[in-house]
Amino acid sequence: MTLFFSSSALAAQNQERAEQELQQLKQVISQLQKRLAENRSQQSDTEKAIQAIDVKLSAVSKELRDTQSKITQNKNQLNKLQKQKTEKNILKEQQRKQLSSQLRSAYIAGQEEYIKLLLNQEDPAKISRMLQYYRYLNEARIRDIEALQKTLQELQQVEQQINSKTLELTELETKQKQQVEQQLSLKSQQTDALKQLKQEYQNQNTRLAQLRKDEQELQSIISSLQQTLEEFAPKQSLKGLAKHKNKLNWPVKGSVEHRFGSNKFENKVKWNGIVINASSGQSVQSIYNGQVVFADWLRGFGLMVIIDHGQGYLSLYGQNESLLKSTGDWVEAGEPVATVGRSGGSSEPGLYFEIRYKGKPQNPLSWIK
């Protein structure tokens, strides 16, 4: 009992500590978001429009994903119900035939044999056996009738469930159609806004200054997160990525468009990560288990997810169409955390992916297999 209560107390302490760490992390995120909001107030109208469209598109895309998942579940449930209905109908016919055969035999025999037994005054022992036999037959018919009634009731329930699921599926498909139309409209608005932004960036000095500002903002966020994470790092169970070099799976399937360290703009800004070409809506998966420490829109990087893997290792996933996780969520390796998009001003859909160790960018291609 002492061991049990000690274990319970330890579990409670760990739970309380984890909640305190999460609250501390959320306070830092809240401060970061306030700072980001101040920075966003200095954005151009086009940049503000892109952010608004990206955020709306994220919400619609996530809702569409949920709707599609529910449609798939409903179709699977309908298939199971239809199978049950077929099985119940087969059972019903079998029970009807069996009962019909019994009733037909009883009708043909009628009460003649029973009356004959009494009138002929046959052997009392034989009469007793025959009466018992008729009683058994009658009980069997009653059981068969009850079984048929139960089957008919179950069949009625299944048919009601089928009608309900069919109606629900119709409503979901209507909702899906509306969401697809809304998504297409937002993507069209996104394209128009990107064209406008491209015109505004024709001045190379303006573009260079903007890129450097975006990088500084991201670095500032990572530094703040890193400092906070280091405060409770000893309490974490996360072991980092050091033992998994060249062993991690790709966050998304696709070809590499931009490589780590290659020229990003005028040989004055380099890529701190890689850009992987992928189709809009593809699942972006966590490369390893960890905790989401940032999930928000960031200028120049769009909808961004940052995952802490412990021991100073972070993985970053940007340009997403929608975010599937929130700050504080724990994720496993291979778990979807976002969907591919072109948020943040990217002209083509794809994933911007980084790995950082103690705030410094690492070549992701040296880590993934």
Side-chain angles (χ1 to χ4, degrees):
M1 287 184 68
T2 302
L3 180 62
F4 172 77
F5 286 117
S6 298
S7 299
S8 300
L10 182 61
Q13 287 176 1
N14 289 339
Q15 178 67 25
E16 184 179 356
R17 186 184 302 156
E19 289 176 359
Q20 289 174 351
E21 291 171 2
L22 179 57
Q23 290 304 316
Q24 185 179 356
L25 178 62
K26 286 187 173 180
Q27 287 176 3
V28 172
I29 295 298
S30 178
Q31 293 170 0
L32 286 174
Q33 287 172 331
K34 288 179 182 178
R35 196 168 72 208
L36 288 173
E38 292 173 0
N39 293 341
R40 288 167 187 168
S41 64
Q42 302 171 10
Q43 293 175 339
S44 68
D45 291 341
T46 305
E47 288 172 333
K48 290 177 182 176
I50 286 176
Q51 179 190 350
I53 293 168
D54 287 348
V55 171
K56 285 181 184 177
L57 183 56
S58 173
V60 171
S61 298
K62 189 174 181 181
E63 288 173 2
L64 177 57
R65 186 184 176 93
D66 292 341
T67 301
Q68 289 170 335
S69 177
K70 288 178 182 177
I71 286 174
T72 300
Q73 290 174 6
N74 266 41
K75 286 182 176 179
N76 291 336
Q77 289 171 355
L78 265 177
N79 288 335
K80 289 180 181 178
L81 288 170
Q82 291 290 359
K83 187 178 179 181
Q84 287 180 26
K85 181 179 177 181
T86 301
E87 291 171 351
K88 296 293 180 187
N89 274 320
I90 292 172
L91 180 61
K92 177 188 71 175
E93 292 305 316
Q94 290 174 345
Q95 290 173 334
R96 276 183 171 173
K97 286 179 181 179
Q98 183 176 341
L99 185 59
S100 177
S101 176
Q102 289 182 6
L103 292 174
R104 191 180 299 110
S105 299
Y107 175 77
I108 293 172
Q111 297 297 319
E112 293 179 6
E113 186 67 25
Y114 175 71
I115 294 170
K116 189 193 295 183
L117 287 173
L118 295 176
L119 292 176
N120 291 343
Q121 297 183 358
E122 296 182 10
D123 180 36
K126 187 176 180 181
I127 291 175
S128 178
R129 287 196 301 272
M130 293 300 294
L131 290 175
Q132 187 72 5
Y133 169 73
Y134 280 113
R135 187 171 67 82
Y136 286 150
L137 284 178
N138 190 49
E139 288 176 353
R141 281 195 292 271
I142 291 172
R143 285 196 299 270
D144 288 343
I145 290 170
E146 289 174 347
L148 178 59
Q149 286 176 331
K150 183 181 177 183
T151 300
L152 291 172
Q153 288 173 354
E154 290 174 348
L155 185 59
Q156 186 180 27
Q157 290 174 357
V158 169
E159 287 174 341
Q160 288 174 350
Q161 288 176 339
I162 288 173
N163 291 335
S164 175
K165 286 294 175 186
T166 301
L167 179 61
E168 188 177 341
L169 182 59
T170 301
E171 291 173 350
L172 284 169
E173 287 174 339
T174 301
K175 185 178 180 180
Q176 181 190 37
K177 185 179 178 181
Q178 294 170 346
Q179 288 171 341
V180 168
E181 290 174 353
Q182 192 176 2
Q183 186 187 53
L184 289 173
S185 173
L186 286 167
K187 284 185 176 181
S188 177
Q189 294 176 39
Q190 188 182 55
T191 299
D192 293 340
L194 290 174
K195 287 178 181 177
Q196 180 63 33
L197 186 65
K198 193 174 181 180
Q199 291 178 354
E200 292 179 7
Y201 282 163
Q202 285 182 348
N203 185 313
Q204 293 186 346
N205 290 331
T206 302
R207 178 60 175 153
L208 178 59
Q210 190 62 62
L211 286 171
R212 284 177 170 168
K213 195 171 183 179
D214 294 343
E215 292 287 351
Q216 289 170 1
E217 193 168 90
L218 176 60
Q219 184 61 54
S220 175
I221 288 171
I222 290 173
S223 297
S224 297
L225 289 172
Q226 204 73 50
Q227 183 179 353
T228 304
L229 294 170
E230 285 174 358
E231 290 179 11
F232 52 78
K235 307 169 191 175
Q236 293 182 332
S237 59
L238 298 172
K239 303 300 181 184
L241 303 176
K243 295 182 180 180
H244 303 280
K245 203 164 187 178
N246 295 317
K247 297 178 182 178
L248 300 170
N249 290 324
W250 287 71
V252 69
K253 291 182 179 179
S255 59
V256 177
E257 175 71 15
H258 299 291
R259 292 181 174 270
F260 176 81
S262 63
N263 177 43
K264 188 174 184 179
F265 186 79
E266 294 294 312
N267 290 315
K268 295 178 180 178
V269 179
K270 305 292 184 181
W271 287 98
N272 287 327
I274 61 174
V275 177
I276 305 171
N277 282 333
S279 302
S280 291
Q282 273 187 254
S283 290
V284 175
Q285 300 171 337
S286 173
I287 56 169
Y288 199 63
N289 62 297
Q291 185 181 28
V292 175
V293 293
F294 184 87
D296 202 347
W297 191 91
L298 188 61
R299 188 179 58 194
F301 300 95
L303 292 160
M304 170 80 80
V305 176
I306 301 178
I307 299 176
D308 171 37
H309 301 288
Q311 306 299 315
Y313 287 95
L314 300 173
S315 59
L316 292 72
Y317 313 77
Q319 296 182 196
N320 298 296
E321 184 173 85
S322 63
L323 303 179
L324 306 180
K325 299 295 179 181
S326 303
T327 300
D329 288 347
W330 291 90
V331 295
E332 297 295 328
E335 187 174 348
V337 296
T339 58
V340 172
R342 51 175 183 155
S343 61
S346 177
S347 57
E348 297 294 333
L351 173 69
Y352 177 69
F353 175 59
E354 279 192 30
I355 292 178
R356 296 212 179 199
Y357 175 59
K358 294 186 176 179
K360 295 181 180 180
Q362 309 291 303
N363 185 355
L365 297 178
S366 299
W367 291 86
I368 52 182
K369 58 184 177 182

